[in-house]
Structure formats: structure tokens, C-alpha cells
Amino acid sequence: MRVIVDDKPEEMVAVWYDSGKVRFIDQRKLPEKLEIYDAGSYSDVALAIREMVVRGAPAIGCAAAYGMALAMSSGEDTGRAAEALRATRPTAHDLFYAVNWMVEMGPQLGPVEAAGKYTADIVERCRRIGENGARYIKDGDSILTHCNAGALATVDFGTALAPIRAARNQGKKLFVYVDETRPWLQGTRLTAWELTNEAIPHAIIADNAAGHFLKSDVDCVIVGADRIAANGDFANKIGTYEKAVVAKENGVPFYVAAPVSTFDFSIKDGNAIKIEERGEDEITSFRDVRIAGASEKARNPVFDVTPSRYVTSIITEEGSFAPGDISRMESRRKR
Ligand code: MRU
């Protein structure tokens, strides 16, 4: 991704390996500061995932792959490392997919090489999602997106932002409505930062303004996913479900962009997806300043499940699929 550092463009990725350390752009600090966070052990990586130094399903998967590589290279108990990494966040399927992949491929390819290959594959898959998805964006379109499904969430390119980047690179004029994405503000802090770095026209909107813009201004919605069930129901950042319902009500196409690593073919529908609930303080405080009354309690589910009937198409690196065609994709992959 292009990042403007001291007024100059630089190419950066969100997660990388360097001399025994996994390095992350610290996403808690953006957009104010571009800081790098170093993890020297699998438990450092687990902490970075839990604390959201690194976030977004595919990027969490790559971080976990490198966490496994650190454990394997230092001769630690890989079963324990796998367990610690899997316990960090329950919803993103990529985390579990990546750990399983490393258990199988780490010994064959060498730990760091395997994690590097896993990560390079994810980046390439996202690039292809961009290529496949750009056709849904017409010259002059306005697109609504929720959360951050950009390069920060996938190491590079993004899922939802990949077609937007690709369409812009094809010379199409476009405009992006960026949901702020309470409570962690992935839209305000991260998606807007990525779009600014790429000079893609956009505006941040309050989450509860999305319905207003879907009524008249938005041509399509593109979001990422954390886990997609075999019937196309999918989990994504809290608030996605209501955007999908309002999009359908207004006849606005609703696209989900995700690599195959996000599909959980073992669950038949979205009821089986475990929804992470994070601390109340994310709701009752803002940047450590209490905004709710001292005795107030809050609930903070950070994902919701959108039924597949609201999805127009799922854009993957292998092409686009209507939710009812996912089994076709799965059987093709098994061949
Ligand atoms: O809690 P987060 O920030 O990890 O949630 C991220 C999302 O919900 C993204 O939309 C999803 O992981 C897709 S990222 C390509």
C-alpha cells in the first residue's frame, strides 16, 4: 500500500518478518502516528492480535502464521503456541485456517518460509479480488464500505478496498462513503487513512447516516468478512447486517469481498458463528476518557451475522459467486 511518510509516498505492508521478529504497523496508533510494533515470540504475536495492534481477518491469519513460525524456529511446544494463537479472537476464520496450515506446512517448507509463503499467497489473493471486483464499479460510482477491509486488514491491497483500488487504477472516477465504525472506529481511523494515502475521494459518515446515503447516493456496498458459512451467511464488523438490510430495501447491490481462507465450509449457516464480545470500556469510554455515567453497563458484540439473502455476490480470488453457488466453489476446490 502507498503510505505518505514526511510528504513522500512509500510502499509498505501491514505485517512483515525481519531477522527473527514479526513487525506490524501498530493499528491502535493510526492515523496520528505511524509506529512499528515488534513481536519476538508467539506470545508477543498473540498479544498483538488480542490487543488489535493487527486486526482484520486475513492480516490476523498472517500474523498467526508468523507467530507459529517463531514458535517452531525456537523449538517451543507448537501445540501450545497453536492453542494460544487460536484463543486470541474467536470470529475470524483466517486465524484458524492459518494456524492449521502452518501445522501442516511449517515442517515441510521450513517455518519462516511457510509463513512467508502463506502471507504472499494472501496478498496475491487480495490482488485478484481487486481484479475480479473492479467490474462491479462503474465510472462515477459512489461506494459505501464498513469497517476497514483494506491493506491494513490483509497485509496489502485489501478485500473490500481491493476492487476500489483496482477500479481507480483503471481510471474510473469514484467516491467512497466510509462508515466511521463505532466503537473502535476502523473506518474513521484506518479506511480513511488508506484512502487519503491513495488520494481516493471519500467522506467519513456517522454509522447511523448510512441509511440516509443508501436511499439516494450510494451505487453499491462492498464489505469484507470474518467468516463465511457454507450457505453464504457471513460475519463481519458489527453494523454490517443493518447496512445490508437497508441496501436491499433500496435496491443497492451488496458485495462481500473475501479470500477463500475466510470460508468455513464446516458450518452450514451463520448461526454457528461465534461472535466476539469485547470490553465494555470500548463503549463507555473514548480514548480512556469516560463518556458514560460511572455506573452504566454496556454490551459490545464486535461482529454480527448477515443472512445470505442480502448478499448480491461474494467476490473471491477465484471469481464471484452468488451465495447459493458456494458449494460449487467448494467442490471445484476439492478436485
Ligand atoms: O475487529 P476487526 O477490526 O478485526 O474487524 C475487522 C472486520 O470486521 C473486517 O471487515 C474483516 O476482517 C474483513 S478484513 C479484510
Side-chain angles (χ1 to χ4, degrees), residues 200-233:
I200 296 177
H202 63 280
I204 299 166
I205 59 169
D207 290 322
N208 39 18
H212 171 77
F213 288 110
L214 278 162
K215 245 176 161 176
S216 52
D217 295 12
V218 174
D219 296 291
C220 68
V221 181
I222 313 182
V223 297
D226 284 81
R227 191 179 291 248
I228 304 175
N231 73 339
D233 294 353

Side-chain angles (χ1 to χ4, degrees), residues 121-130 154 156-159 162 259:
D121 280 356
I122 287 290
V123 169
E124 173 56 16
R125 285 162 195 254
C126 290
R127 193 190 64 72
R128 281 168 33 209
I129 288 171
T154 66
D156 207 355
F157 296 109
T159 53

Side-chain angles (χ1 to χ4, degrees), residues 52 55-58 89 147 149 153-154 159 186 225-226 236-237 303:
M52 296 180 60
R55 32 102 1 240
R89 297 193 71 190
C147 194
T154 66
T159 53
Q186 285 92 337
D226 284 81
N236 191 46
K237 181 54 54 193
F303 300 102

Side-chain angles (χ1 to χ4, degrees), residues 93-110:
H93 184 253
D94 294 69
L95 168 64
F96 302 85
Y97 182 92
V99 169
N100 293 346
W101 196 89
M102 283 298 293
V103 168
E104 193 187 334
M105 300 306 289
Q108 285 181 42
L109 300 179

